[in-house]
Amino acid sequence: MPAQIVTVELRERSYPIYIGRDLLADPALLNRCIPGRDLLLVSNTIVAPLYASHVVAALGARRPVEVVLPDGEAQKSLSVVARVIDVLVANRFGRDACVLALGGGVIGDLAGFAAATYQRGIAFVQIPTTLLAQVDSSVGGKTGVNHTGGKNLIGAFHQPSAVIADTRTLESLAPRELRAGLAEVIKYGLICDPEFFAWLEGNLEALLAGDPAALAHAIRRSCEIKAGIVRRDEREQGERAHLNLGHTFGHAIESATGYTGWLHGEAVGAGLMMAADMSQRCGWLRDADVQRVRRLLERAGLPLRAAEVTPAVARDFMSIDKKAMNRRLRLVLLRDIGRACVTADFPPSALEATLSAHFGEHR
Ligand code: NAD
Ligand code: GLY
């Protein structure tokens, strides 16, 4: 089956997202998508042994310099970006060089940030290999790293030149990682596409079983939704914040647990549940719809509460959220399934009740 193409329309910075099976075995596609003579391939110790040789073989004489990092969210730090930049400098790469990010969202965010900052910005191509990266992090140009004070606090908007999502790579992904990626897929249905949410309810088992057609549909629809939002609001002045549904709660879980224990997608899944719960407490979402959200997340095998984080600690981390304005917390909540809103206008008691119900030990 030929690759499906979704375009992120951003005038002169528009780029294609290729979605398909065995794209890494297509040298013509890779060579078409990857600009530049000097190439730096950034990957990690899990992904590089599986897939770097495909990319290197396809590029022939344009043999990339490789940086293979340890695995894990802890790599998303300024010191690791400095290491990557050291390699670019050591190889005397110029402004026409290109960075290839081969891996999940950690590699994409980190390598993208190195590309965004080296010589004030060089080209990069995303080659995402997790479901989460194929549906979300590789698209839209948010790059960056964590600070001990909070998640993704350092970063830049820098769009890739292309995204190459080879769905075959998902076959080596751990089931837990696939489930974490599904949280971001469910997010798209919740924020703006009730039909897609219903499709997910009907096709969740196929997705969990790794059915290629179901996965291709979920990835394509997710990328179409994200591409549309990024086209309308690249720099997150408004609508793009909807993509953060569940993330203020989720980032608090990740930060409070030191980026260990919880996967990003798992924290987002719990955050989606909290956003739905709070939306109901605000009087916006019907009980039956909250139960639909709960059932889908449970069927996806996602954890729905963070017993190890107290509500006070969660509140503290939430206060540093990037959506805050005039130091006032703004949250993405739901008016309905398929209709998100960003608001600071919620009863504080609703937030407190949601935090008490989902953080800390059950009393
Ligand atoms: P990840 O990059 O840590 O990958 C998850 C795990 O899967 C890792 O152990 C990785 O080595 C392994 N892996 C990757 N591909 C594999 C494959 N094909 N086969 C076997 N193992 C494989 O995590 P993730 O869930 O992909 O991404 C999470 C990160 O993405 C977080 O840092 C999050 O903040 C970021 N993110 C960014 C954006 C954005 O817009 N930039 C959006 C969402 C998430
Ligand atoms: N994942 C949130 C965004 O790209 O805006």
Side-chain angles (χ1 to χ4, degrees), residues 44 71 73 76 104-106 109 129-130 137 142 151 169 172:
N44 74 14
D71 189 25
E73 181 76 26
K76 254 180 72 169
V106 166
D109 281 12
T129 61
T130 63
S137 62
K142 278 191 182 176
K151 173 96 178 156
T169 61
S172 56

Side-chain angles (χ1 to χ4, degrees), residues 136-137 139-140 142 184 187 226 230 236 240-241 243-244 247:
D136 191 356
S137 62
V139 175
K142 278 191 182 176
E184 301 278 15
K187 173 190 81 178
K226 184 154 186 185
V230 169
E236 201 168 311
R240 185 164 180 170
L243 292 170
N244 280 319
H247 284 57

Side-chain angles (χ1 to χ4, degrees), residues 38-45 47-60 62-69 83-84 86-88 90-91 93 98-102 107:
D38 293 331
L39 306 175
L40 183 77
L41 186 146
V42 183
S43 191
N44 74 14
T45 51
V47 179
L50 294 170
Y51 303 113
S53 61
H54 295 64
V55 179
V56 172
L59 293 169
R62 290 196 295 160
R63 194 181 173 83
V65 173
E66 293 182 42
V67 175
V68 178
L69 300 168
R83 261 188 66 195
V84 173
D86 286 348
V87 179
L88 288 162
N91 284 280
F93 278 7
C98 178
V99 172
L100 312 178
L102 174 69
I107 291 295

